[in-house]
PDB file of all heavy atoms in Angstrom:
ATOM      1  N   THR A1461    -144.684 -66.958  51.416  1.00 85.00           N
ATOM      2  CA  THR A1461    -143.477 -66.599  52.221  1.00 85.00           C
ATOM      3  C   THR A1461    -142.348 -67.523  51.959  1.00 85.00           C
ATOM      4  O   THR A1461    -141.196 -67.200  52.255  1.00 85.00           O
ATOM      5  CB  THR A1461    -143.819 -66.569  53.716  1.00 85.00           C
ATOM      6  OG1 THR A1461    -144.248 -67.838  54.151  1.00 85.00           O
ATOM      7  CG2 THR A1461    -144.880 -65.504  54.050  1.00 85.00           C
ATOM      8  N   LEU A1462    -142.659 -68.771  51.388  1.00 87.00           N
ATOM      9  CA  LEU A1462    -141.631 -69.699  51.059  1.00 87.00           C
ATOM     10  C   LEU A1462    -141.161 -69.566  49.626  1.00 87.00           C
ATOM     11  O   LEU A1462    -140.314 -70.319  49.161  1.00 87.00           O
ATOM     12  CB  LEU A1462    -142.101 -71.108  51.316  1.00 87.00           C
ATOM     13  CG  LEU A1462    -142.488 -71.436  52.743  1.00 87.00           C
ATOM     14  CD1 LEU A1462    -143.103 -72.831  52.871  1.00 87.00           C
ATOM     15  CD2 LEU A1462    -141.361 -71.256  53.757  1.00 87.00           C
ATOM     16  N   GLY A1463    -141.759 -68.666  48.868  1.00 84.00           N
ATOM     17  CA  GLY A1463    -141.433 -68.447  47.502  1.00 84.00           C
ATOM     18  C   GLY A1463    -142.513 -69.074  46.602  1.00 84.00           C
ATOM     19  O   GLY A1463    -143.078 -70.140  46.922  1.00 84.00           O
ATOM     20  N   ILE A1464    -142.828 -68.443  45.505  1.00 81.00           N
ATOM     21  CA  ILE A1464    -143.888 -68.954  44.655  1.00 81.00           C
ATOM     22  C   ILE A1464    -143.413 -70.083  43.707  1.00 81.00           C
ATOM     23  O   ILE A1464    -144.184 -70.837  43.289  1.00 81.00           O
ATOM     24  CB  ILE A1464    -144.548 -67.859  43.878  1.00 81.00           C
ATOM     25  CG1 ILE A1464    -143.600 -67.116  42.964  1.00 81.00           C
ATOM     26  CG2 ILE A1464    -145.238 -66.867  44.807  1.00 81.00           C
ATOM     27  CD1 ILE A1464    -144.320 -66.131  42.048  1.00 81.00           C
ATOM     28  N   GLY A1465    -142.090 -70.123  43.527  1.00 74.00           N
ATOM     29  CA  GLY A1465    -141.490 -71.182  42.759  1.00 74.00           C
ATOM     30  C   GLY A1465    -142.250 -71.597  41.496  1.00 74.00           C
ATOM     31  O   GLY A1465    -142.771 -70.712  40.822  1.00 74.00           O
ATOM     32  N   PRO A1466    -142.320 -72.874  41.208  1.00 71.00           N
ATOM     33  CA  PRO A1466    -142.892 -73.377  39.987  1.00 71.00           C
ATOM     34  C   PRO A1466    -144.426 -73.417  40.090  1.00 71.00           C
ATOM     35  O   PRO A1466    -145.030 -73.806  39.064  1.00 71.00           O
ATOM     36  CB  PRO A1466    -142.325 -74.750  39.853  1.00 71.00           C
ATOM     37  CG  PRO A1466    -142.126 -75.216  41.308  1.00 71.00           C
ATOM     38  CD  PRO A1466    -141.713 -73.929  42.037  1.00 71.00           C
ATOM     39  N   TYR A1467    -144.993 -73.092  41.164  1.00 67.00           N
ATOM     40  CA  TYR A1467    -146.450 -73.172  41.312  1.00 67.00           C
ATOM     41  C   TYR A1467    -147.195 -72.223  40.400  1.00 67.00           C
ATOM     42  O   TYR A1467    -148.264 -72.549  39.886  1.00 67.00           O
ATOM     43  CB  TYR A1467    -146.903 -72.959  42.741  1.00 67.00           C
ATOM     44  CG  TYR A1467    -146.270 -73.881  43.676  1.00 67.00           C
ATOM     45  CD1 TYR A1467    -145.241 -73.545  44.541  1.00 67.00           C
ATOM     46  CD2 TYR A1467    -146.616 -75.266  43.737  1.00 67.00           C
ATOM     47  CE1 TYR A1467    -144.608 -74.355  45.423  1.00 67.00           C
ATOM     48  CE2 TYR A1467    -145.976 -76.142  44.543  1.00 67.00           C
ATOM     49  CZ  TYR A1467    -145.041 -75.726  45.436  1.00 67.00           C
ATOM     50  OH  TYR A1467    -144.377 -76.568  46.251  1.00 67.00           O
ATOM     51  N   VAL A1468    -146.724 -71.015  40.283  1.00 74.00           N
ATOM     52  CA  VAL A1468    -147.358 -70.087  39.416  1.00 74.00           C
ATOM     53  C   VAL A1468    -146.339 -69.410  38.466  1.00 74.00           C
ATOM     54  O   VAL A1468    -145.252 -68.967  38.840  1.00 74.00           O
ATOM     55  CB  VAL A1468    -147.999 -68.948  40.232  1.00 74.00           C
ATOM     56  CG1 VAL A1468    -149.252 -69.422  40.889  1.00 74.00           C
ATOM     57  CG2 VAL A1468    -147.080 -68.387  41.267  1.00 74.00           C
ATOM     58  N   GLU A1469    -146.635 -69.429  37.216  1.00 75.00           N
ATOM     59  CA  GLU A1469    -145.761 -68.886  36.175  1.00 75.00           C
ATOM     60  C   GLU A1469    -146.633 -68.497  35.035  1.00 75.00           C
ATOM     61  O   GLU A1469    -147.714 -69.006  34.741  1.00 75.00           O
ATOM     62  CB  GLU A1469    -144.676 -69.815  35.757  1.00 75.00           C
ATOM     63  CG  GLU A1469    -145.224 -71.108  35.239  1.00 75.00           C
ATOM     64  CD  GLU A1469    -144.088 -72.124  34.991  1.00 75.00           C
ATOM     65  OE1 GLU A1469    -143.094 -72.140  35.666  1.00 75.00           O
ATOM     66  OE2 GLU A1469    -144.238 -72.869  34.040  1.00 75.00           O
ATOM     67  N   SER A1470    -146.243 -67.500  34.308  1.00 84.00           N
ATOM     68  CA  SER A1470    -146.920 -67.004  33.111  1.00 84.00           C
ATOM     69  C   SER A1470    -148.366 -66.612  33.363  1.00 84.00           C
ATOM     70  O   SER A1470    -149.255 -67.059  32.669  1.00 84.00           O
ATOM     71  CB  SER A1470    -146.830 -68.041  31.962  1.00 84.00           C
ATOM     72  OG  SER A1470    -145.488 -68.279  31.650  1.00 84.00           O
ATOM     73  N   LEU A1471    -148.530 -65.847  34.417  1.00 87.00           N
ATOM     74  CA  LEU A1471    -149.920 -65.450  34.812  1.00 87.00           C
ATOM     75  C   LEU A1471    -150.435 -64.310  33.965  1.00 87.00           C
ATOM     76  O   LEU A1471    -149.697 -63.371  33.604  1.00 87.00           O
ATOM     77  CB  LEU A1471    -149.927 -65.030  36.276  1.00 87.00           C
ATOM     78  CG  LEU A1471    -149.503 -66.045  37.260  1.00 87.00           C
ATOM     79  CD1 LEU A1471    -149.475 -65.403  38.653  1.00 87.00           C
ATOM     80  CD2 LEU A1471    -150.453 -67.242  37.262  1.00 87.00           C
ATOM     81  N   ASP A1472    -151.702 -64.333  33.580  1.00 90.00           N
ATOM     82  CA  ASP A1472    -152.358 -63.234  32.947  1.00 90.00           C
ATOM     83  C   ASP A1472    -152.909 -62.234  33.917  1.00 90.00           C
ATOM     84  O   ASP A1472    -153.003 -61.039  33.649  1.00 90.00           O
ATOM     85  CB  ASP A1472    -153.493 -63.709  32.032  1.00 90.00           C
ATOM     86  CG  ASP A1472    -152.988 -64.564  30.882  1.00 90.00           C
ATOM     87  OD1 ASP A1472    -152.000 -64.121  30.256  1.00 90.00           O
ATOM     88  OD2 ASP A1472    -153.564 -65.639  30.729  1.00 90.00           O
ATOM     89  N   LEU A1473    -153.292 -62.706  35.097  1.00 89.00           N
ATOM     90  CA  LEU A1473    -153.888 -61.918  36.125  1.00 89.00           C
ATOM     91  C   LEU A1473    -153.486 -62.421  37.518  1.00 89.00           C
ATOM     92  O   LEU A1473    -153.544 -63.637  37.765  1.00 89.00           O
ATOM     93  CB  LEU A1473    -155.426 -61.964  36.001  1.00 89.00           C
ATOM     94  CG  LEU A1473    -156.245 -61.297  37.086  1.00 89.00           C
ATOM     95  CD1 LEU A1473    -156.045 -59.801  37.079  1.00 89.00           C
ATOM     96  CD2 LEU A1473    -157.778 -61.698  36.898  1.00 89.00           C
ATOM     97  N   LEU A1474    -153.122 -61.476  38.400  1.00 87.00           N
ATOM     98  CA  LEU A1474    -152.771 -61.844  39.709  1.00 87.00           C
ATOM     99  C   LEU A1474    -153.579 -60.868  40.614  1.00 87.00           C
ATOM    100  O   LEU A1474    -153.421 -59.644  40.481  1.00 87.00           O
ATOM    101  CB  LEU A1474    -151.290 -61.692  40.019  1.00 87.00           C
ATOM    102  CG  LEU A1474    -150.808 -62.358  41.297  1.00 87.00           C
ATOM    103  CD1 LEU A1474    -149.373 -62.883  41.108  1.00 87.00           C
ATOM    104  CD2 LEU A1474    -150.869 -61.387  42.417  1.00 87.00           C
ATOM    105  N   LEU A1475    -154.383 -61.373  41.500  1.00 86.00           N
ATOM    106  CA  LEU A1475    -155.194 -60.566  42.429  1.00 86.00           C
ATOM    107  C   LEU A1475    -154.496 -60.619  43.828  1.00 86.00           C
ATOM    108  O   LEU A1475    -154.357 -61.654  44.365  1.00 86.00           O
ATOM    109  CB  LEU A1475    -156.609 -61.072  42.538  1.00 86.00           C
ATOM    110  CG  LEU A1475    -157.348 -61.145  41.198  1.00 86.00           C
ATOM    111  CD1 LEU A1475    -158.699 -61.786  41.369  1.00 86.00           C
ATOM    112  CD2 LEU A1475    -157.481 -59.680  40.550  1.00 86.00           C
ATOM    113  N   TRP A1476    -154.123 -59.421  44.280  1.00 86.00           N
ATOM    114  CA  TRP A1476    -153.354 -59.358  45.576  1.00 86.00           C
ATOM    115  C   TRP A1476    -154.197 -58.519  46.480  1.00 86.00           C
ATOM    116  O   TRP A1476    -154.261 -57.323  46.395  1.00 86.00           O
ATOM    117  CB  TRP A1476    -152.033 -58.655  45.285  1.00 86.00           C
ATOM    118  CG  TRP A1476    -151.169 -58.350  46.386  1.00 86.00           C
ATOM    119  CD1 TRP A1476    -151.386 -57.477  47.410  1.00 86.00           C
ATOM    120  CD2 TRP A1476    -149.805 -58.879  46.566  1.00 86.00           C
ATOM    121  NE1 TRP A1476    -150.320 -57.415  48.234  1.00 86.00           N
ATOM    122  CE2 TRP A1476    -149.341 -58.259  47.770  1.00 86.00           C
ATOM    123  CE3 TRP A1476    -149.017 -59.750  45.904  1.00 86.00           C
ATOM    124  CZ2 TRP A1476    -148.073 -58.527  48.256  1.00 86.00           C
ATOM    125  CZ3 TRP A1476    -147.749 -60.035  46.402  1.00 86.00           C
ATOM    126  CH2 TRP A1476    -147.298 -59.416  47.560  1.00 86.00           C
ATOM    127  N   ARG A1477    -154.897 -59.183  47.438  1.00 86.00           N
ATOM    128  CA  ARG A1477    -155.761 -58.464  48.352  1.00 86.00           C
ATOM    129  C   ARG A1477    -155.688 -59.052  49.756  1.00 86.00           C
ATOM    130  O   ARG A1477    -155.725 -60.282  49.961  1.00 86.00           O
ATOM    131  CB  ARG A1477    -157.238 -58.572  47.834  1.00 86.00           C
ATOM    132  CG  ARG A1477    -158.154 -57.822  48.640  1.00 86.00           C
ATOM    133  CD  ARG A1477    -159.489 -57.596  47.923  1.00 86.00           C
ATOM    134  NE  ARG A1477    -160.308 -56.731  48.713  1.00 86.00           N
ATOM    135  CZ  ARG A1477    -161.472 -57.076  49.303  1.00 86.00           C
ATOM    136  NH1 ARG A1477    -161.967 -58.302  49.063  1.00 86.00           N
ATOM    137  NH2 ARG A1477    -162.175 -56.265  50.007  1.00 86.00           N
ATOM    138  N   ASN A1478    -155.519 -58.165  50.771  1.00 85.00           N
ATOM    139  CA  ASN A1478    -155.450 -58.528  52.119  1.00 85.00           C
ATOM    140  C   ASN A1478    -154.393 -59.596  52.399  1.00 85.00           C
ATOM    141  O   ASN A1478    -154.649 -60.559  53.111  1.00 85.00           O
ATOM    142  CB  ASN A1478    -156.832 -59.034  52.640  1.00 85.00           C
ATOM    143  CG  ASN A1478    -157.850 -57.944  52.573  1.00 85.00           C
ATOM    144  OD1 ASN A1478    -157.572 -56.720  52.719  1.00 85.00           O
ATOM    145  ND2 ASN A1478    -159.110 -58.314  52.391  1.00 85.00           N
ATOM    146  N   MET A1479    -153.259 -59.399  51.764  1.00 82.00           N
ATOM    147  CA  MET A1479    -152.212 -60.407  51.978  1.00 82.00           C
ATOM    148  C   MET A1479    -150.984 -59.743  52.581  1.00 82.00           C
ATOM    149  O   MET A1479    -150.544 -60.190  53.637  1.00 82.00           O
ATOM    150  CB  MET A1479    -151.833 -61.049  50.606  1.00 82.00           C
ATOM    151  CG  MET A1479    -150.906 -62.174  50.735  1.00 82.00           C
ATOM    152  SD  MET A1479    -150.769 -63.124  49.272  1.00 82.00           S
ATOM    153  CE  MET A1479    -149.786 -62.092  48.249  1.00 82.00           C
ATOM    154  N   SER A1480    -150.374 -58.760  51.924  1.00 81.00           N
ATOM    155  CA  SER A1480    -149.113 -58.217  52.348  1.00 81.00           C
ATOM    156  C   SER A1480    -149.168 -57.429  53.635  1.00 81.00           C
ATOM    157  O   SER A1480    -148.131 -57.199  54.244  1.00 81.00           O
ATOM    158  CB  SER A1480    -148.461 -57.386  51.257  1.00 81.00           C
ATOM    159  OG  SER A1480    -149.205 -56.218  51.068  1.00 81.00           O
ATOM    160  N   ILE A1481    -150.359 -57.025  54.056  1.00 82.00           N
ATOM    161  CA  ILE A1481    -150.448 -56.302  55.347  1.00 82.00           C
ATOM    162  C   ILE A1481    -149.991 -57.084  56.484  1.00 82.00           C
ATOM    163  O   ILE A1481    -149.690 -56.523  57.566  1.00 82.00           O
ATOM    164  CB  ILE A1481    -151.883 -55.808  55.514  1.00 82.00           C
ATOM    165  CG1 ILE A1481    -152.922 -56.913  55.524  1.00 82.00           C
ATOM    166  CG2 ILE A1481    -152.230 -54.717  54.482  1.00 82.00           C
ATOM    167  CD1 ILE A1481    -154.305 -56.514  55.865  1.00 82.00           C
ATOM    168  N   TYR A1482    -149.898 -58.420  56.354  1.00 84.00           N
ATOM    169  CA  TYR A1482    -149.451 -59.252  57.454  1.00 84.00           C
ATOM    170  C   TYR A1482    -147.973 -59.560  57.357  1.00 84.00           C
ATOM    171  O   TYR A1482    -147.448 -60.234  58.320  1.00 84.00           O
ATOM    172  CB  TYR A1482    -150.232 -60.593  57.442  1.00 84.00           C
ATOM    173  CG  TYR A1482    -151.718 -60.410  57.507  1.00 84.00           C
ATOM    174  CD1 TYR A1482    -152.536 -60.528  56.391  1.00 84.00           C
ATOM    175  CD2 TYR A1482    -152.284 -60.053  58.748  1.00 84.00           C
ATOM    176  CE1 TYR A1482    -153.901 -60.315  56.452  1.00 84.00           C
ATOM    177  CE2 TYR A1482    -153.676 -59.884  58.860  1.00 84.00           C
ATOM    178  CZ  TYR A1482    -154.438 -59.967  57.735  1.00 84.00           C
ATOM    179  OH  TYR A1482    -155.821 -59.783  57.839  1.00 84.00           O
ATOM    180  N   PHE A1483    -147.249 -59.187  56.349  1.00 86.00           N
ATOM    181  CA  PHE A1483    -145.838 -59.472  56.237  1.00 86.00           C
ATOM    182  C   PHE A1483    -144.959 -58.334  56.658  1.00 86.00           C
ATOM    183  O   PHE A1483    -145.284 -57.140  56.547  1.00 86.00           O
ATOM    184  CB  PHE A1483    -145.472 -59.737  54.742  1.00 86.00           C
ATOM    185  CG  PHE A1483    -146.250 -60.915  54.163  1.00 86.00           C
ATOM    186  CD1 PHE A1483    -146.541 -60.931  52.790  1.00 86.00           C
ATOM    187  CD2 PHE A1483    -146.720 -61.965  54.921  1.00 86.00           C
ATOM    188  CE1 PHE A1483    -147.209 -61.973  52.203  1.00 86.00           C
ATOM    189  CE2 PHE A1483    -147.406 -63.031  54.352  1.00 86.00           C
ATOM    190  CZ  PHE A1483    -147.638 -63.021  52.990  1.00 86.00           C
ATOM    191  N   ALA A1484    -143.786 -58.672  57.141  1.00 88.00           N
ATOM    192  CA  ALA A1484    -142.707 -57.708  57.442  1.00 88.00           C
ATOM    193  C   ALA A1484    -142.232 -57.091  56.125  1.00 88.00           C
ATOM    194  O   ALA A1484    -142.329 -57.782  55.003  1.00 88.00           O
ATOM    195  CB  ALA A1484    -141.533 -58.368  58.111  1.00 88.00           C
ATOM    196  N   PRO A1485    -141.747 -55.851  56.067  1.00 86.00           N
ATOM    197  CA  PRO A1485    -141.382 -55.207  54.803  1.00 86.00           C
ATOM    198  C   PRO A1485    -140.481 -55.965  53.905  1.00 86.00           C
ATOM    199  O   PRO A1485    -140.700 -56.036  52.721  1.00 86.00           O
ATOM    200  CB  PRO A1485    -140.787 -53.916  55.297  1.00 86.00           C
ATOM    201  CG  PRO A1485    -141.499 -53.590  56.560  1.00 86.00           C
ATOM    202  CD  PRO A1485    -141.689 -54.923  57.189  1.00 86.00           C
ATOM    203  N   PRO A1486    -139.434 -56.678  54.422  1.00 89.00           N
ATOM    204  CA  PRO A1486    -138.566 -57.394  53.496  1.00 89.00           C
ATOM    205  C   PRO A1486    -139.274 -58.550  52.767  1.00 89.00           C
ATOM    206  O   PRO A1486    -139.067 -58.771  51.624  1.00 89.00           O
ATOM    207  CB  PRO A1486    -137.413 -57.883  54.354  1.00 89.00           C
ATOM    208  CG  PRO A1486    -137.444 -57.082  55.576  1.00 89.00           C
ATOM    209  CD  PRO A1486    -138.858 -56.659  55.808  1.00 89.00           C
ATOM    210  N   ILE A1487    -140.132 -59.268  53.526  1.00 89.00           N
ATOM    211  CA  ILE A1487    -140.884 -60.340  52.967  1.00 89.00           C
ATOM    212  C   ILE A1487    -141.916 -59.812  51.963  1.00 89.00           C
ATOM    213  O   ILE A1487    -142.071 -60.377  50.863  1.00 89.00           O
ATOM    214  CB  ILE A1487    -141.562 -61.232  54.047  1.00 89.00           C
ATOM    215  CG1 ILE A1487    -140.441 -61.856  54.879  1.00 89.00           C
ATOM    216  CG2 ILE A1487    -142.540 -62.223  53.409  1.00 89.00           C
ATOM    217  CD1 ILE A1487    -141.048 -62.580  56.099  1.00 89.00           C
TER     218      ILE A1487
END
Side-chain angles (χ1 to χ4, degrees):
T1461 61
L1462 299 176
I1464 61 172
Y1467 302 107
V1468 285
E1469 55 186 36
S1470 299
L1471 300 174
D1472 294 313
L1473 173 66
L1474 194 147
L1475 303 174
W1476 176 294
R1477 185 164 185 243
N1478 296 330
M1479 189 169 72
S1480 68
I1481 58 175
Y1482 301 104
F1483 299 152
I1487 295 172

